[in-house]
Amino acid sequence: MRKESVGFFAVIAAAFMWGVGGSVAKFLFNQAVSPFLLVKIRLTLSCLLLVAGIALYDRHLLVIKRKDIPYFAVLGMGGMALMQFSYFFTISITNVATAVFLQYLSPVLMAAYAVIWEKEKFTLRRAGAVLLAMLGGLFILLNAGGVAGLNLLGIISGLGSAVFMAFSTIYGRRGVRNYHPLTAAAYSFGFGALLWWMLLPSLWQPGSITLEHWYMFWYVAIFSTVVPFLLYFIGMRFLPPTSVGIIACLEPVIAAVVAYGALDEKMGLFQMLGGVFVLLAVIIIQTEGKQQTKDGCDVA
């Protein structure tokens, strides 16, 4: 299987897991768990799981060059920690559809960066894919009642998550190209967790966290963080940032379906049409990659 295909399916799998994870996070917020606490526990458990797994698998993967410590500190604290918090915070004060749509404005930022700073050729096919993905996300938001739940703080937080996601994807390419994705993920989560422990050193009120909450925390850490981010990093290794961002836009489709089934959030014609638009965007970006490869161009 070609590397581009590996990256394509890896990002799709990551989007699926994140789509489910958004509804799990909303359930926790409905149980009075704060987004501050969730992101701190999520990053901490994820880092511990990865470090333990890497130590058993190949401890040499835990070694990085001293000069790269500041790089991973910026990626973890300035990207991973803030991206996850702003996303969760948006969910907590709006709804899953709103948070996911606003975060997935990031492909526009990634495309702008690629064109302006990397002089990447922005084809009509790629522009059409970005437009379809954004339009699809907007339809999902409108039909999910997102407009009624919009507020200024939610918009700011959601747009912030888009900026931090674009930054993490673009800036993170160096990490996954120079190190194993396991290494990049472990240090990103570690520095992200460190930031939140410095900002919020206290734990939680006794009795406020139940056994059911811990089951959810572990689910979020494993299936909404460690596994999907590893898959996302693999995608970043083999695909351009804009392609990664567009493919990841499948998350709103998945999140809407899960929220419909698990949280009784509305789903109608516009939402289904939005899902079709996102699927078309993903098909376009994937077929563009195949056409470029056929023509002898490197898509990565």
Side-chain angles (χ1 to χ4, degrees):
M1 183 180 291
R2 297 192 316 48
K3 291 181 178 180
E4 292 81 8
S5 297
V6 171
F8 175 76
F9 288 111
V11 178
I12 287 179
F16 177 83
M17 292 184 179
W18 282 328
V20 176
S23 292
V24 174
K26 186 66 175 181
F27 172 83
L28 286 168
F29 300 146
N30 291 339
Q31 298 292 313
V33 174
S34 75
F36 299 95
L37 178 61
L38 178 56
V39 72
K40 183 169 71 171
I41 292 179
R42 179 191 197 188
L43 288 170
T44 302
L45 292 179
S46 299
C47 177
L48 293 175
L49 283 169
L50 269 179
V51 170
I54 293 172
L56 293 173
Y57 172 65
D58 184 356
R59 65 183 62 185
H60 294 97
L61 292 178
L62 292 173
V63 179
I64 63 172
K65 297 177 182 178
R66 184 176 300 179
K67 67 177 183 178
D68 287 328
I69 293 176
Y71 165 81
F72 281 111
V74 172
L75 179 61
M77 296 182 176
M80 192 66 65
L82 296 179
M83 175 183 70
Q84 293 192 28
F85 168 73
S86 55
Y87 174 64
F88 282 150
F89 184 72
T90 306
I91 290 178
S92 70
I93 61 176
T94 58
N95 55 44
V96 175
T98 300
V100 175
F101 168 69
L102 290 173
Q103 185 176 70
Y104 280 100
L105 292 175
S106 58
V108 178
L109 303 178
M110 297 178 200
Y113 175 88
V115 172
I116 296 173
W117 278 279
E118 297 187 348
K119 308 302 180 183
E120 179 182 300
K121 185 179 179 181
F122 199 55
T123 64
L124 286 176
R125 289 172 64 90
R126 183 158 298 197
V130 171
L131 179 61
L132 278 173
M134 296 303 99
L135 188 60
L138 178 60
F139 277 20
I140 292 172
L141 168 66
L142 294 174
N143 209 155
V147 174
L150 284 179
N151 57 68
L152 181 59
L153 186 58
I155 293 174
I156 294 173
S157 177
L159 292 176
S161 71
V163 173
F164 295 130
M165 184 175 186
F167 171 78
S168 297
T169 303
I170 295 168
Y171 189 71
R173 282 183 300 167
R174 173 185 158 190
V176 297
R177 288 177 176 174
N178 294 339
Y179 292 96
H180 194 284
L182 286 168
T183 307
Y187 279 94
S188 299
F189 296 153
F191 278 110
L194 179 61
L195 174 66
W196 284 108
W197 280 105
M198 290 190 299
L199 294 176
L200 301 169
S202 60
L203 293 175
W204 50 84
Q205 295 296 324
S208 62
I209 303 300
T210 67
L211 184 60
E212 183 181 22
H213 290 153
W214 277 109
Y215 289 145
M216 294 294 183
F217 289 151
W218 280 107
Y219 178 90
V220 169
I222 297 171
F223 298 109
S224 186
T225 308
V226 172
V227 177
F229 270 106
L230 283 175
L231 292 168
Y232 191 74
F233 281 178
I234 291 171
M236 288 165 53
R237 195 171 192 175
F238 299 136
L239 299 172
T242 307
S243 298
V244 172
I246 291 173
I247 297 167
C249 282
L250 283 170
E251 182 184 344
V253 182
I254 298 163
V257 173
V258 173
Y260 170 77
L263 300 175
D264 293 326
E265 292 190 3
K266 298 178 181 179
M267 186 173 182
L269 179 60
F270 273 106
Q271 203 163 23
M272 290 185 283
L273 185 60
V276 171
F277 284 170
V278 174
L279 289 173
L280 286 174
V282 172
I283 292 171
I284 289 172
I285 206 67
Q286 175 64 1
T287 54
E288 181 192 44
K290 291 181 178 180
Q291 184 62 42
Q292 288 178 340
T293 302
K294 184 178 179 180
D295 293 341
C297 300
D298 184 7
V299 297

PDB file of all heavy atoms in Angstrom, residues 41-69:
ATOM      1  N   ILE A  41      -6.565  15.743  32.838  1.00  0.00           N
ATOM      2  CA  ILE A  41      -6.555  14.297  33.047  1.00  0.00           C
ATOM      3  C   ILE A  41      -6.314  13.571  31.730  1.00  0.00           C
ATOM      4  O   ILE A  41      -5.576  12.577  31.672  1.00  0.00           O
ATOM      5  CB  ILE A  41      -7.886  13.842  33.684  1.00  0.00           C
ATOM      6  CG1 ILE A  41      -7.988  14.371  35.121  1.00  0.00           C
ATOM      7  CG2 ILE A  41      -7.994  12.317  33.682  1.00  0.00           C
ATOM      8  CD1 ILE A  41      -9.271  14.000  35.819  1.00  0.00           C
ATOM      9  N   ARG A  42      -6.926  14.068  30.654  1.00  0.00           N
ATOM     10  CA  ARG A  42      -6.762  13.432  29.342  1.00  0.00           C
ATOM     11  C   ARG A  42      -5.298  13.396  28.928  1.00  0.00           C
ATOM     12  O   ARG A  42      -4.777  12.349  28.545  1.00  0.00           O
ATOM     13  CB  ARG A  42      -7.572  14.207  28.295  1.00  0.00           C
ATOM     14  CG  ARG A  42      -7.448  13.655  26.887  1.00  0.00           C
ATOM     15  CD  ARG A  42      -8.039  14.612  25.860  1.00  0.00           C
ATOM     16  NE  ARG A  42      -8.304  13.965  24.581  1.00  0.00           N
ATOM     17  CZ  ARG A  42      -8.663  14.599  23.481  1.00  0.00           C
ATOM     18  NH1 ARG A  42      -8.826  15.908  23.508  1.00  0.00           N
ATOM     19  NH2 ARG A  42      -8.893  13.930  22.353  1.00  0.00           N
ATOM     20  N   LEU A  43      -4.622  14.525  29.009  1.00  0.00           N
ATOM     21  CA  LEU A  43      -3.225  14.596  28.595  1.00  0.00           C
ATOM     22  C   LEU A  43      -2.323  13.802  29.529  1.00  0.00           C
ATOM     23  O   LEU A  43      -1.370  13.156  29.091  1.00  0.00           O
ATOM     24  CB  LEU A  43      -2.775  16.053  28.529  1.00  0.00           C
ATOM     25  CG  LEU A  43      -3.339  16.867  27.365  1.00  0.00           C
ATOM     26  CD1 LEU A  43      -3.032  18.343  27.543  1.00  0.00           C
ATOM     27  CD2 LEU A  43      -2.784  16.366  26.040  1.00  0.00           C
ATOM     28  N   THR A  44      -2.619  13.843  30.826  1.00  0.00           N
ATOM     29  CA  THR A  44      -1.790  13.119  31.798  1.00  0.00           C
ATOM     30  C   THR A  44      -1.884  11.614  31.600  1.00  0.00           C
ATOM     31  O   THR A  44      -0.861  10.918  31.515  1.00  0.00           O
ATOM     32  CB  THR A  44      -2.208  13.479  33.234  1.00  0.00           C
ATOM     33  OG1 THR A  44      -2.093  14.892  33.429  1.00  0.00           O
ATOM     34  CG2 THR A  44      -1.329  12.759  34.252  1.00  0.00           C
ATOM     35  N   LEU A  45      -3.106  11.092  31.528  1.00  0.00           N
ATOM     36  CA  LEU A  45      -3.282   9.656  31.322  1.00  0.00           C
ATOM     37  C   LEU A  45      -2.694   9.224  29.985  1.00  0.00           C
ATOM     38  O   LEU A  45      -2.071   8.155  29.889  1.00  0.00           O
ATOM     39  CB  LEU A  45      -4.769   9.294  31.389  1.00  0.00           C
ATOM     40  CG  LEU A  45      -5.464   9.426  32.750  1.00  0.00           C
ATOM     41  CD1 LEU A  45      -6.935   9.048  32.618  1.00  0.00           C
ATOM     42  CD2 LEU A  45      -4.782   8.567  33.795  1.00  0.00           C
ATOM     43  N   SER A  46      -2.892  10.043  28.954  1.00  0.00           N
ATOM     44  CA  SER A  46      -2.374   9.700  27.627  1.00  0.00           C
ATOM     45  C   SER A  46      -0.856   9.610  27.643  1.00  0.00           C
ATOM     46  O   SER A  46      -0.263   8.689  27.064  1.00  0.00           O
ATOM     47  CB  SER A  46      -2.832  10.735  26.605  1.00  0.00           C
ATOM     48  OG  SER A  46      -4.236  10.783  26.520  1.00  0.00           O
ATOM     49  N   CYS A  47      -0.206  10.568  28.295  1.00  0.00           N
ATOM     50  CA  CYS A  47       1.257  10.563  28.373  1.00  0.00           C
ATOM     51  C   CYS A  47       1.751   9.344  29.137  1.00  0.00           C
ATOM     52  O   CYS A  47       2.681   8.654  28.693  1.00  0.00           O
ATOM     53  CB  CYS A  47       1.744  11.846  29.045  1.00  0.00           C
ATOM     54  SG  CYS A  47       3.540  11.911  29.273  1.00  0.00           S
ATOM     55  N   LEU A  48       1.133   9.047  30.281  1.00  0.00           N
ATOM     56  CA  LEU A  48       1.558   7.902  31.085  1.00  0.00           C
ATOM     57  C   LEU A  48       1.388   6.592  30.320  1.00  0.00           C
ATOM     58  O   LEU A  48       2.249   5.710  30.364  1.00  0.00           O
ATOM     59  CB  LEU A  48       0.765   7.864  32.389  1.00  0.00           C
ATOM     60  CG  LEU A  48       1.035   9.014  33.373  1.00  0.00           C
ATOM     61  CD1 LEU A  48       0.103   8.922  34.568  1.00  0.00           C
ATOM     62  CD2 LEU A  48       2.492   9.008  33.833  1.00  0.00           C
ATOM     63  N   LEU A  49       0.265   6.460  29.618  1.00  0.00           N
ATOM     64  CA  LEU A  49       0.022   5.256  28.823  1.00  0.00           C
ATOM     65  C   LEU A  49       1.074   5.084  27.731  1.00  0.00           C
ATOM     66  O   LEU A  49       1.611   3.990  27.519  1.00  0.00           O
ATOM     67  CB  LEU A  49      -1.372   5.314  28.191  1.00  0.00           C
ATOM     68  CG  LEU A  49      -2.562   5.011  29.091  1.00  0.00           C
ATOM     69  CD1 LEU A  49      -3.859   5.369  28.376  1.00  0.00           C
ATOM     70  CD2 LEU A  49      -2.564   3.539  29.470  1.00  0.00           C
ATOM     71  N   LEU A  50       1.362   6.176  27.033  1.00  0.00           N
ATOM     72  CA  LEU A  50       2.333   6.111  25.948  1.00  0.00           C
ATOM     73  C   LEU A  50       3.733   5.798  26.458  1.00  0.00           C
ATOM     74  O   LEU A  50       4.447   4.965  25.889  1.00  0.00           O
ATOM     75  CB  LEU A  50       2.342   7.431  25.178  1.00  0.00           C
ATOM     76  CG  LEU A  50       1.406   7.527  23.979  1.00  0.00           C
ATOM     77  CD1 LEU A  50       1.503   8.895  23.339  1.00  0.00           C
ATOM     78  CD2 LEU A  50       1.725   6.454  22.949  1.00  0.00           C
ATOM     79  N   VAL A  51       4.148   6.479  27.511  1.00  0.00           N
ATOM     80  CA  VAL A  51       5.487   6.254  28.055  1.00  0.00           C
ATOM     81  C   VAL A  51       5.641   4.803  28.520  1.00  0.00           C
ATOM     82  O   VAL A  51       6.657   4.153  28.249  1.00  0.00           O
ATOM     83  CB  VAL A  51       5.777   7.232  29.215  1.00  0.00           C
ATOM     84  CG1 VAL A  51       7.068   6.841  29.935  1.00  0.00           C
ATOM     85  CG2 VAL A  51       5.893   8.649  28.678  1.00  0.00           C
ATOM     86  N   ALA A  52       4.618   4.289  29.212  1.00  0.00           N
ATOM     87  CA  ALA A  52       4.670   2.890  29.670  1.00  0.00           C
ATOM     88  C   ALA A  52       4.720   1.933  28.484  1.00  0.00           C
ATOM     89  O   ALA A  52       5.502   0.972  28.479  1.00  0.00           O
ATOM     90  CB  ALA A  52       3.458   2.592  30.550  1.00  0.00           C
ATOM     91  N   GLY A  53       3.905   2.183  27.469  1.00  0.00           N
ATOM     92  CA  GLY A  53       3.892   1.321  26.295  1.00  0.00           C
ATOM     93  C   GLY A  53       5.202   1.370  25.526  1.00  0.00           C
ATOM     94  O   GLY A  53       5.714   0.328  25.086  1.00  0.00           O
ATOM     95  N   ILE A  54       5.751   2.564  25.362  1.00  0.00           N
ATOM     96  CA  ILE A  54       7.012   2.710  24.639  1.00  0.00           C
ATOM     97  C   ILE A  54       8.148   2.037  25.394  1.00  0.00           C
ATOM     98  O   ILE A  54       9.028   1.400  24.803  1.00  0.00           O
ATOM     99  CB  ILE A  54       7.329   4.202  24.402  1.00  0.00           C
ATOM    100  CG1 ILE A  54       6.302   4.813  23.443  1.00  0.00           C
ATOM    101  CG2 ILE A  54       8.729   4.371  23.827  1.00  0.00           C
ATOM    102  CD1 ILE A  54       6.423   6.323  23.318  1.00  0.00           C
ATOM    103  N   ALA A  55       8.139   2.168  26.726  1.00  0.00           N
ATOM    104  CA  ALA A  55       9.187   1.544  27.540  1.00  0.00           C
ATOM    105  C   ALA A  55       9.190   0.026  27.371  1.00  0.00           C
ATOM    106  O   ALA A  55      10.250  -0.615  27.357  1.00  0.00           O
ATOM    107  CB  ALA A  55       9.000   1.918  29.010  1.00  0.00           C
ATOM    108  N   LEU A  56       8.011  -0.547  27.223  1.00  0.00           N
ATOM    109  CA  LEU A  56       7.913  -1.991  27.011  1.00  0.00           C
ATOM    110  C   LEU A  56       8.246  -2.380  25.572  1.00  0.00           C
ATOM    111  O   LEU A  56       8.835  -3.442  25.327  1.00  0.00           O
ATOM    112  CB  LEU A  56       6.502  -2.470  27.358  1.00  0.00           C
ATOM    113  CG  LEU A  56       6.100  -2.390  28.836  1.00  0.00           C
ATOM    114  CD1 LEU A  56       4.627  -2.742  29.003  1.00  0.00           C
ATOM    115  CD2 LEU A  56       6.961  -3.323  29.678  1.00  0.00           C
ATOM    116  N   TYR A  57       7.866  -1.513  24.618  1.00  0.00           N
ATOM    117  CA  TYR A  57       8.046  -1.813  23.197  1.00  0.00           C
ATOM    118  C   TYR A  57       9.480  -1.570  22.739  1.00  0.00           C
ATOM    119  O   TYR A  57      10.151  -2.453  22.199  1.00  0.00           O
ATOM    120  CB  TYR A  57       7.074  -0.967  22.377  1.00  0.00           C
ATOM    121  CG  TYR A  57       7.274  -1.035  20.889  1.00  0.00           C
ATOM    122  CD1 TYR A  57       7.070  -2.216  20.183  1.00  0.00           C
ATOM    123  CD2 TYR A  57       7.661   0.099  20.170  1.00  0.00           C
ATOM    124  CE1 TYR A  57       7.262  -2.281  18.813  1.00  0.00           C
ATOM    125  CE2 TYR A  57       7.856   0.049  18.805  1.00  0.00           C
ATOM    126  CZ  TYR A  57       7.644  -1.135  18.130  1.00  0.00           C
ATOM    127  OH  TYR A  57       7.844  -1.187  16.771  1.00  0.00           O
ATOM    128  N   ASP A  58       9.955  -0.335  22.952  1.00  0.00           N
ATOM    129  CA  ASP A  58      11.325   0.032  22.562  1.00  0.00           C
ATOM    130  C   ASP A  58      11.692   1.330  23.279  1.00  0.00           C
ATOM    131  O   ASP A  58      11.348   2.424  22.823  1.00  0.00           O
ATOM    132  CB  ASP A  58      11.413   0.220  21.040  1.00  0.00           C
ATOM    133  CG  ASP A  58      12.830   0.512  20.570  1.00  0.00           C
ATOM    134  OD1 ASP A  58      13.732   0.637  21.424  1.00  0.00           O
ATOM    135  OD2 ASP A  58      13.039   0.636  19.345  1.00  0.00           O
ATOM    136  N   ARG A  59      12.393   1.189  24.397  1.00  0.00           N
ATOM    137  CA  ARG A  59      12.693   2.366  25.230  1.00  0.00           C
ATOM    138  C   ARG A  59      13.562   3.398  24.528  1.00  0.00           C
ATOM    139  O   ARG A  59      13.601   4.562  24.929  1.00  0.00           O
ATOM    140  CB  ARG A  59      13.345   1.938  26.537  1.00  0.00           C
ATOM    141  CG  ARG A  59      14.711   1.294  26.397  1.00  0.00           C
ATOM    142  CD  ARG A  59      15.229   0.840  27.741  1.00  0.00           C
ATOM    143  NE  ARG A  59      14.373  -0.171  28.328  1.00  0.00           N
ATOM    144  CZ  ARG A  59      14.549  -0.671  29.554  1.00  0.00           C
ATOM    145  NH1 ARG A  59      15.528  -0.218  30.312  1.00  0.00           N
ATOM    146  NH2 ARG A  59      13.746  -1.602  30.008  1.00  0.00           N
ATOM    147  N   HIS A  60      14.229   2.975  23.465  1.00  0.00           N
ATOM    148  CA  HIS A  60      15.055   3.937  22.717  1.00  0.00           C
ATOM    149  C   HIS A  60      14.195   5.029  22.068  1.00  0.00           C
ATOM    150  O   HIS A  60      14.700   6.107  21.738  1.00  0.00           O
ATOM    151  CB  HIS A  60      15.875   3.209  21.649  1.00  0.00           C
ATOM    152  CG  HIS A  60      16.915   2.283  22.211  1.00  0.00           C
ATOM    153  ND1 HIS A  60      16.697   0.940  22.362  1.00  0.00           N
ATOM    154  CD2 HIS A  60      18.165   2.521  22.681  1.00  0.00           C
ATOM    155  CE1 HIS A  60      17.777   0.362  22.876  1.00  0.00           C
ATOM    156  NE2 HIS A  60      18.681   1.310  23.094  1.00  0.00           N
ATOM    157  N   LEU A  61      12.909   4.729  21.860  1.00  0.00           N
ATOM    158  CA  LEU A  61      12.022   5.724  21.262  1.00  0.00           C
ATOM    159  C   LEU A  61      11.728   6.884  22.224  1.00  0.00           C
ATOM    160  O   LEU A  61      11.186   7.907  21.813  1.00  0.00           O
ATOM    161  CB  LEU A  61      10.701   5.064  20.840  1.00  0.00           C
ATOM    162  CG  LEU A  61      10.785   4.062  19.688  1.00  0.00           C
ATOM    163  CD1 LEU A  61       9.417   3.457  19.408  1.00  0.00           C
ATOM    164  CD2 LEU A  61      11.327   4.737  18.421  1.00  0.00           C
ATOM    165  N   LEU A  62      12.088   6.717  23.486  1.00  0.00           N
ATOM    166  CA  LEU A  62      11.882   7.798  24.454  1.00  0.00           C
ATOM    167  C   LEU A  62      13.025   8.815  24.430  1.00  0.00           C
ATOM    168  O   LEU A  62      12.948   9.847  25.104  1.00  0.00           O
ATOM    169  CB  LEU A  62      11.742   7.222  25.864  1.00  0.00           C
ATOM    170  CG  LEU A  62      10.473   6.406  26.133  1.00  0.00           C
ATOM    171  CD1 LEU A  62      10.548   5.747  27.503  1.00  0.00           C
ATOM    172  CD2 LEU A  62       9.243   7.302  26.037  1.00  0.00           C
ATOM    173  N   VAL A  63      14.061   8.517  23.674  1.00  0.00           N
ATOM    174  CA  VAL A  63      15.226   9.394  23.626  1.00  0.00           C
ATOM    175  C   VAL A  63      15.069  10.427  22.516  1.00  0.00           C
ATOM    176  O   VAL A  63      14.794  10.079  21.368  1.00  0.00           O
ATOM    177  CB  VAL A  63      16.523   8.576  23.393  1.00  0.00           C
ATOM    178  CG1 VAL A  63      17.726   9.511  23.321  1.00  0.00           C
ATOM    179  CG2 VAL A  63      16.702   7.546  24.491  1.00  0.00           C
ATOM    180  N   ILE A  64      15.235  11.697  22.874  1.00  0.00           N
ATOM    181  CA  ILE A  64      15.243  12.766  21.875  1.00  0.00           C
ATOM    182  C   ILE A  64      16.503  13.611  22.067  1.00  0.00           C
ATOM    183  O   ILE A  64      17.142  13.564  23.133  1.00  0.00           O
ATOM    184  CB  ILE A  64      13.994  13.675  21.979  1.00  0.00           C
ATOM    185  CG1 ILE A  64      13.954  14.387  23.336  1.00  0.00           C
ATOM    186  CG2 ILE A  64      12.723  12.885  21.734  1.00  0.00           C
ATOM    187  CD1 ILE A  64      12.869  15.441  23.436  1.00  0.00           C
ATOM    188  N   LYS A  65      16.849  14.357  21.054  1.00  0.00           N
ATOM    189  CA  LYS A  65      18.017  15.233  21.155  1.00  0.00           C
ATOM    190  C   LYS A  65      17.709  16.409  22.079  1.00  0.00           C
ATOM    191  O   LYS A  65      16.586  16.906  22.096  1.00  0.00           O
ATOM    192  CB  LYS A  65      18.405  15.747  19.764  1.00  0.00           C
ATOM    193  CG  LYS A  65      18.822  14.647  18.802  1.00  0.00           C
ATOM    194  CD  LYS A  65      19.113  15.216  17.422  1.00  0.00           C
ATOM    195  CE  LYS A  65      19.484  14.089  16.447  1.00  0.00           C
ATOM    196  NZ  LYS A  65      19.723  14.606  15.067  1.00  0.00           N
ATOM    197  N   ARG A  66      18.721  16.826  22.822  1.00  0.00           N
ATOM    198  CA  ARG A  66      18.523  17.927  23.766  1.00  0.00           C
ATOM    199  C   ARG A  66      18.045  19.189  23.061  1.00  0.00           C
ATOM    200  O   ARG A  66      17.199  19.923  23.576  1.00  0.00           O
ATOM    201  CB  ARG A  66      19.829  18.204  24.515  1.00  0.00           C
ATOM    202  CG  ARG A  66      19.711  19.272  25.597  1.00  0.00           C
ATOM    203  CD  ARG A  66      21.010  19.422  26.359  1.00  0.00           C
ATOM    204  NE  ARG A  66      21.385  18.171  27.019  1.00  0.00           N
ATOM    205  CZ  ARG A  66      22.505  18.025  27.732  1.00  0.00           C
ATOM    206  NH1 ARG A  66      23.357  19.043  27.846  1.00  0.00           N
ATOM    207  NH2 ARG A  66      22.776  16.869  28.303  1.00  0.00           N
ATOM    208  N   LYS A  67      18.541  19.421  21.856  1.00  0.00           N
ATOM    209  CA  LYS A  67      18.157  20.630  21.132  1.00  0.00           C
ATOM    210  C   LYS A  67      16.694  20.619  20.717  1.00  0.00           C
ATOM    211  O   LYS A  67      16.124  21.668  20.385  1.00  0.00           O
ATOM    212  CB  LYS A  67      19.036  20.810  19.893  1.00  0.00           C
ATOM    213  CG  LYS A  67      18.828  19.736  18.832  1.00  0.00           C
ATOM    214  CD  LYS A  67      19.682  20.006  17.595  1.00  0.00           C
ATOM    215  CE  LYS A  67      19.422  18.959  16.509  1.00  0.00           C
ATOM    216  NZ  LYS A  67      20.209  19.236  15.279  1.00  0.00           N
ATOM    217  N   ASP A  68      16.050  19.424  20.716  1.00  0.00           N
ATOM    218  CA  ASP A  68      14.653  19.324  20.305  1.00  0.00           C
ATOM    219  C   ASP A  68      13.675  19.446  21.477  1.00  0.00           C
ATOM    220  O   ASP A  68      12.451  19.441  21.264  1.00  0.00           O
ATOM    221  CB  ASP A  68      14.401  17.991  19.586  1.00  0.00           C
ATOM    222  CG  ASP A  68      15.015  17.973  18.193  1.00  0.00           C
ATOM    223  OD1 ASP A  68      15.071  19.050  17.568  1.00  0.00           O
ATOM    224  OD2 ASP A  68      15.423  16.891  17.735  1.00  0.00           O
ATOM    225  N   ILE A  69      14.183  19.551  22.705  1.00  0.00           N
ATOM    226  CA  ILE A  69      13.295  19.707  23.863  1.00  0.00           C
ATOM    227  C   ILE A  69      12.453  20.976  23.747  1.00  0.00           C
ATOM    228  O   ILE A  69      11.232  20.932  23.948  1.00  0.00           O
ATOM    229  CB  ILE A  69      14.105  19.694  25.177  1.00  0.00           C
ATOM    230  CG1 ILE A  69      14.720  18.304  25.394  1.00  0.00           C
ATOM    231  CG2 ILE A  69      13.211  20.079  26.367  1.00  0.00           C
ATOM    232  CD1 ILE A  69      15.609  18.212  26.623  1.00  0.00           C
TER     233      ILE A  69
END
